[in-house]
Amino acid sequence: MSLSYFQLSVPVYIRMLGNLSHLLDKASAYCSEHNIDEAVLLQSRIFPTMYPLVKQVQIATDQAKGSIGRLSGITPPKLDDDETSFGQLRERIGAVLSYLETIPPDALDETASKTITMPWMPDNPMQGEFYLVNFAVPNVYFHITTVYNILRHNGVPIGKTDYIGEI
Amino acid sequence: MSLSYFQLSVPVYIRMLGNLSHLLDKASAYCSEHNIDEAVLLQSRIFPTMYPLVKQVQIATDQAKGSIGRLSGITPPKLDDDETSFGQLRERIGAVLSYLETIPPDALDETASKTITMPWMPDNPMQGEFYLVNFAVPNVYFHITTVYNILRHNGVPIGKTDYIGEI
């Protein structure tokens, strides 16, 4: 009748980051097929004041590893934000997946008693459960969906099932 | 240490649909300010083979009410998919919010023992918890984020905090 904080985040992130990696595979194949420099797609944006695809992937992975790191106390891998290809972005996702696979199921049990303060919102501390459910998870979905939309906008042949994953 | 199926869906949908309504408020104000026919934004798309904004809102609300209806057995409101303004879309969201407010906290307790089959995927029955966590919730986030991206693509002055909501 219920899901633990672990169940509603770690396996969800693992599944969705796997789907993201799969989307990038299709983007990479599209670039090869049409002689498109991968940098063009990596720098593509929905609007000039939004982040490009490469940064959307960086933030999706940062929010996933960062939220689990903050709530579990298990230090996530430090990543350099210097990716210049889909292959490097997939390696980044792989590093985060490897980290998430190490998290024990009881590591998030104290979530409800934690207070999380994001560095850029020092005046808005969040209760741990609120942070996980209403901030971290929606952000991960946001940035993965935005990657999807940037790829669709550029004609990459993907569909909703690539976002949702295996059923 | 855990969240019920109700807690991880109904209040999450209520919060995110409220944020969606707020995004549409800003879109409507943008149209007034710049003398833009609302129909132009309602029919805007990320790519020609993607759904326009109006349909993205319809699907976000359908997935929210539909998933709770299927898992609780409490019939959701039938909506006509005939909206032609942001005001009508906000009324649609309001109807779904009113429905969600009536769902008792124990209404989803039998989720794990249910099997959900979507009409367009007759060969892919989903276990209730899988359906909720890996299909319905990611779809709601997907369609709300895509509305956000369509609005940003058209220059509507919104930011990530409008998507995330009050902290």
Side-chain angles (χ1 to χ4, degrees), chain B residues 3-24:
Chain B
L3 290 184
S4 67
Y5 296 123
F6 175 90
Q7 288 172 308
L8 67 89
S9 58
V10 175
V12 168
Y13 291 164
I14 289 174
R15 178 179 167 88
M16 291 305 300
L17 291 178
N19 297 348
L20 176 60
S21 197
H22 164 73
L23 290 170
L24 300 187

Side-chain angles (χ1 to χ4, degrees), chain B residues 124-152:
Chain B
N124 281 310
M126 289 176 270
Q127 186 267 343
E129 179 181 302
F130 180 94
Y131 164 69
L132 183 62
V133 175
N134 295 315
F135 188 88
V137 168
N139 262 302
V140 170
Y141 280 119
F142 177 93
H143 292 285
I144 294 175
T145 300
T146 300
V147 168
Y148 177 97
N149 283 330
I150 293 172
L151 294 178
R152 286 288 258 124

